[in-house]
Amino acid sequence: MTLTGEETGKETREEKFDGGTAGGARTRSLPCRGPLAWAPLASALQAHAVPGLERVTPKAGGGVGVERLLTVGSTVVPVKVHLHPDGVDLEAPALPRPEEAALITTVRAWLDLDANPGVVDPFLARFDVLAPLVRRHPGLRVPGSTDGFETGIQTVLGQQVSLAAARTFGARLVAAFGEPGPAGLTAFPSAHRLAAVPAEEIQAAVKITHARARTVRALAAAVAAGLPLQPGADPGQVRAGLLALPGIGPWTADYLAVRVLGDRDAYPADDLVLKRALGVGTGREAARLSQPWRPWRSYALFHLWTQAAYAPAPSGA
């Protein structure tokens, strides 16, 4: 079953299987509460896609495909996600039931498929600055993460640079330290792998400053030592652990609370694009304006970011 963008009924979590494909892959339709603003979600994924790690391509007949490797237990598997006007499809190898359930849980969190637009959209539409954005993109989702450590390192590489520069840095890091996998894709290096690499080697391979390379290595060492950068972790513990590292400040901690921890009230108030979108000069002003939007500030954030920063809707939207 594939839910349409107009579906507003009670969500069902029973994923449906559309059969197999060559090589033992299976296509699953992932239901969600509608509407689903698939095109802005695809644009956000495309804006952050790292060459070698992910492929984002228009699909025949409409929609966008995202390909990458995901780790399920101790196995790395290639997955393809198809975002289109009728919903979301996942293509992945056939797996034992526990691993399949874990994979689907990861993808649902990554694409925010358990969101309830019927609650979020009417709430945000009460505010003048957000109402036209909600009307333009009903059912907007907050992109999550397939791996908290990967998102953490990518966030560090993206500090104070453009998205294009962040993608370039990420591609260099993956090429230098990642593990080649199926489908011509590379798996992101593990925390233990990067923690064992000297900062000078990271700096030379990625072509970043020594300070940034030290932050990459420090974050890898912290996660390898047990910093729980993953959904369900205690937000206070994660925030304190992140802020104790060199080169990581409140913006990074708040951003990772949105993307990795799934905190739908997290809000990096000092973000430059956010402040420009709101027409304010300080993070304090951006935080003050956001107070009435609680507890859904991360959705407000992505509405504002979608309007101000992300690319136009992909081909086929």
Side-chain angles (χ1 to χ4, degrees):
M1 177 182 69
T2 300
L3 299 185
T4 70
E6 301 301 319
E7 175 61 58
T8 56
K10 183 178 180 180
E11 175 194 25
T12 173
R13 289 298 304 274
E14 182 183 358
E15 278 70 27
K16 301 299 182 180
F17 301 96
D18 299 328
T21 61
R26 302 171 72 185
T27 299
R28 307 136 171 94
S29 179
L30 303 184
C32 63
R33 295 182 179 94
L36 171 66
W38 69 272
L41 177 59
S43 290
L45 296 176
Q46 188 172 43
H48 291 273
V50 173
L53 186 70
E54 300 154 308
R55 284 194 292 264
V56 181
T57 54
K59 302 288 284 185
V64 167
V66 183
E67 300 176 64
R68 61 163 298 133
L69 304 177
L70 290 181
T71 301
V72 184
S74 59
T75 304
V76 175
V77 297
V79 301
K80 299 178 183 179
V81 171
H82 183 197
L83 303 166
H84 53 84
D86 290 329
V88 179
D89 299 323
L90 167 65
E91 182 182 322
L95 297 168
R97 187 171 295 274
E99 286 82 357
E100 186 170 273
L103 173 64
I104 290 173
T105 296
T106 296
V107 173
R108 293 189 68 86
W110 175 32
L111 304 178
D112 197 19
L113 296 183
D114 293 321
N116 189 349
V119 172
V120 176
D121 287 3
F123 178 82
L124 294 181
R126 295 160 44 198
F127 305 102
D128 290 345
V129 69
L130 300 175
L133 308 184
V134 174
R135 287 195 298 269
R136 183 176 180 185
H137 296 304
L140 188 78
R141 308 299 160 125
V142 174
S145 169
T146 58
D147 179 84
F149 173 66
E150 174 189 316
T151 303
I153 294 297
Q154 285 297 114
T155 301
V156 168
L157 294 177
Q159 291 172 342
Q160 299 177 330
V161 300
S162 67
L163 282 173
R167 289 194 300 269
T168 298
F169 293 152
R172 291 171 182 163
L173 184 136
V174 168
F177 307 112
E179 291 292 331
L185 294 167
T186 302
F188 199 83
S190 69
H192 287 86
R193 168 78 174 101
L194 274 187
V197 180
E200 293 78 9
E201 188 175 336
I202 296 173
Q203 178 185 7
V206 185
K207 296 180 174 56
I208 51 178
T209 66
H210 183 68
R212 189 64 51 84
R214 285 181 59 241
T215 301
V216 167
R217 189 175 185 276
L219 179 57
V223 172
L227 178 66
L229 199 53
Q230 59 193 27
D234 176 72
Q237 177 189 0
V238 173
R239 184 178 182 83
L242 289 171
L243 294 179
L245 301 176
I248 292 185
W251 179 88
T252 299
D254 290 337
Y255 181 80
L256 293 178
V258 175
R259 294 285 310 278
V260 174
L261 303 186
D263 181 351
R264 291 300 175 249
D265 196 42
Y267 180 81
D270 208 34
D271 180 77
L272 179 61
V273 175
L274 173 65
K275 290 185 290 187
R276 286 176 177 169
L278 291 173
V280 300
T282 67
R284 178 175 296 181
E285 291 174 278
R288 179 184 59 81
L289 287 175
S290 75
Q291 293 307 305
W293 307 339
R294 308 189 80 158
W296 304 115
R297 293 190 299 174
S298 67
Y299 288 101
L301 170 74
F302 266 86
H303 272 293
L304 292 162
W305 274 350
T306 296
Q307 177 196 38
Y310 291 132
S315 174

